[in-house]
Amino acid sequence: MPCAGAGGRLLFAGAPRRHRVCGPDRGLAERLRLFQRLRAAQERPDRDGAGDGAGDGAGGGRLPPGTPIRIALPGGGRLPGRARQTTPFQVAAQLGGGLAEVALVARVNGTLQDLDRPLECDTDLELLDFSTPEGRAAFWRSGACVLGAVVEQFYGATFCSAQATEDGFFCDVHMGDRTVQRGELPALEDACTAFARAGHRFERLEATRQQLAELFKDNSFQLQQIEEEVTSPVATVYRCGPLLQLCRGPLLRHTGLIAALRVLTSSAAFWQGAGGRQSLQRVAAVAFPSAQGLADWQRAQDEAALRDHRRIGREQELFFFHKLSPGSCFFLPRGAHVYNTLVDFIRSEYQARGFCEVVTPNVFSPRLWELSGHWEHYSTHMFSFTAGTETLSLKPMNCPAHCLMFAHRPRSWRELPLRLADFGVLHRNENPDTLTGLTRVRRFQQDDAHIFCTLEQLEAEIDACLDFVRTVYAVLGFSFRLALATRPPGFLGDPETWDRAEQQLERSLRTFGQPWELSPGDGAFYGPKIDIRIRDALGRQHQCATIQLDFQMPERFELEYASATGGSARPVMIHRAVLGSVERMVAVLAESCGGRWPFWLSPLQAMVIPQAAEVEDYAREVQAVLRGGGVVADLDTDAGATLARKIRRAQLAHYNFQLVVGRRERDRGTVSVRTRDNRQLGERDLRQVLQRLRELRDTRVPDAEERF
C-alpha cells in the first residue's frame, strides 16, 4: 500500500522490485519543488494576472481581490461573493443540502473550471455532479491522473499521457521492453485505491513554455506534446501526488472523491515520435464516486455482454466478419433485412420532407480533397491507390461530391433549398486495433444528406433537421441529448463567420425546446455543429446523428446561385445525418433491444409451425401468403420435435409471432397466433392476420405483439 514519501515519492509496499523497469527518478523532487514555487507565485494576492490565463475560465476582466461580485444560480437564485476569493466549492458549501459532497466541477459564465479556483467577476454559476456529462468527464479525467501516477510509480515507468473516454479512462506509459501482465492488474488496482484514499489534491498551475520545458525536461514524451499542442503563451499543468501532467482540466478537488476504481485491461499502444513509433503500454480503468456506482456499472457490463451485438449477430445469423476483408461486414439475409428496413425508413422520411436521393462515385482524385480541405486534415484516414500514373482515393464522405453536383450547372434561388441525400458506400482507414464489430468499421454507409440554402432559409432548415431527428428517434425508442460544438483549434475561415454560424445554431436549439449543452472546441474544422447523443435501453450514450453548418465549403468550391434581386450569391451548406453509420445503428439497436427486434424492423417476424407432417403443405401455403404480403416468415418442419418444443424454440429465438397450424386451421383457412411472450391470441383468419401484420409493420409501432 502506498504512503507519501520525501519529495512526493510514493513507496508501494505491495510492489515487488521485479516490477521496476528503470531506476529512481532523481529529478522528481527538484521538479516538484519548482512546481510548488511557481504555484505559490501564481497565487500571490498582489499578482496582476499577467501570464496566468486571466479571464479564460472565471469570467473575463479581473477585479481587485475582495471586490464584491454577484453570483447568479440556476433557477434565479443569487448570492454575494468576493472577486478572486470566493470559490465555487464555497458556494456549494453555503447552499448546503449535501451539494458540496457531490459537486465535482463548475460551469462559470459558460466555461468549465475547478471548484477551488476563485471567481474573478460577476458570475453565472452552475455546479455539476457525476450525473452530468461534464462532471463525469472531469471525474474520469481525474481518475486517469490517479492511474498515471500509480502506474508510473508501480513500474518505474515513464508517464506519456492520460485520457478520459466515453466509458472510463486510460493512461499510456513507456516501459521499454516490459509489458503489464494481466496477473498484475489486481495489485495495481489495490495500489490505485490506496492512492485515491490518501486524498492527494489536484493542484493547478498555468506555466509559460519556458517553465513547461523545465518542468518536463526529463520526459521526452510530454516535451513533444508541448511542442505539438501548446500554441498559447501558457498551458495548464496539474500535480497529483508525484505526477505532473499537461492537462487542460478541470479536475476534482482531491483523489479522496474517487471512492471506487476498477482496473480493466492492459494492452499495447504506440507513440508516434521523431524517432519512429515507440511501443507503449496502455492501462484502462473506470472509477465512480461510490461503491454502489461501481456495482451498478458491473451489472450493466454483465447485461451488455449478454446483449453484445456480435453475439446477437452470430446467434441470429445477421452478419459476420472475415480476415480477408478486415473491417468490412458481410450482412447475411436477415441482417440485410434489418439494414434495408432502416434505409427504407429514412427514404420514406426523405420523400415526405423534400429530399432528393442521388448517387455519386466512390473514387476521386486527391485534388477534390485538397479543394475541400479534407486532404490536410483527413488524408491519413483515406484509402489511396495508384492507377497508372494517377493517385486516386476512395471517398470517406459525400459532401465534396455533392458540391460538384451543385456546381455542375447554373443554379437559381428558386431551386433552394436543395436537399441532396446519398446512401453511397464510404471507406475510412481505421486503425486495426479500433475495429470492434459494427461500431467501428472501414466500409459503411450513412443516411448522409446536404442541404444548400440561403441565409434566410437557414433557420427553418435547421429547425426541420431537428424535427427529423426527433421523429426518427421516437420511432426507434431513443431519448437523446443535444450539444452545440463550437470552433476547434485549426478551424477554417474567419472568426466572424463562425460566430454567426454558432449563433444561428444556438437560436435553433432554443426554439427546439429541449435541454442542450455547450461543447467548446468540438466543432468540425469547417463549421460548428449540433451533436446528438442517444441513450439506449441500457442507459448508454451513443453519438450517431449530427447537424453541421458549413460556410467554408461553398467558398472553397465557389458555389453560387442567381439571387432573386439579381446578381449571384453564395449558398450555405448544412451537413446532416440521423442514423449516422447504418452499420453502427444496427449494432446500437441490436444491443438496445437485446435481439428482441420490434416487429417492423425484425428479421424474425413470424414462424409458421405445423402440428404434424400431414399439414406441412398448408403450412407452406401460409408461409407463401405471408411472404407474398411482405412479412418475413420462416417454417419449422422438424419432424423430430414436439409442437411444444417448436413453439418454445421460436420464442427463445425471439420470433415476434408463432403461427401454429393443424387440421382445424387447414380446413378453415386460419392460423392460431402466439407471441414471443407466449400470449395466446387464438385462431384467426389467415388473410386478416396478414392484413393486421402489415398494418403493424407499416405504422412501425414498438409493441406490435400487444397491439395485435
Side-chain angles (χ1 to χ4, degrees), residues 500-520:
R500 187 168 74 249
E502 290 168 3
Q503 290 164 9
Q504 177 60 70
L505 290 181
E506 183 174 343
R507 283 196 297 272
S508 292
L509 285 170
R510 294 188 186 281
T511 301
F512 190 57
Q514 282 202 202
W516 59 278
E517 56 204 40
L518 192 65
S519 296

Side-chain angles (χ1 to χ4, degrees), residues 2 32 174 213 227 282 454 459 537 552 569 581 591 603 618 662 668:
L32 294 180
H174 182 251
E227 185 65 29
R282 172 168 295 178
T454 68
E459 184 172 352
Q552 312 305 324
S581 160
E591 295 185 358
Y618 178 62
R668 295 187 174 192

Side-chain angles (χ1 to χ4, degrees), residues 592-619:
S592 187
C593 71
R596 292 170 58 88
W597 299 93
F599 177 76
W600 69 273
L601 191 57
S602 176
L604 306 164
Q605 291 177 337
M607 174 65 82
V608 182
I609 302 175
Q611 289 182 348
E614 64 182 287
V615 294
E616 278 188 17
D617 287 344
Y618 178 62

Side-chain angles (χ1 to χ4, degrees), residues 100 128 138 153 216 290 324 435 499 515 570 591 600 606 670 680 701:
L128 306 172
Q153 297 290 299
F216 296 105
S290 67
L324 295 182
L435 300 176
D499 289 342
R570 190 82 74 205
E591 295 185 358
W600 69 273
T670 60
Q680 299 185 37
V701 295

Side-chain angles (χ1 to χ4, degrees), residues 309-310 313-314 317-321 329-332 438 586:
H309 74 277
R310 291 164 292 189
R314 181 175 61 255
E317 295 190 49
L318 303 178
F319 58 84
F320 68 92
F321 289 86
C329 183
F330 293 76
F331 279 96
L332 296 165
L438 293 174
V586 170

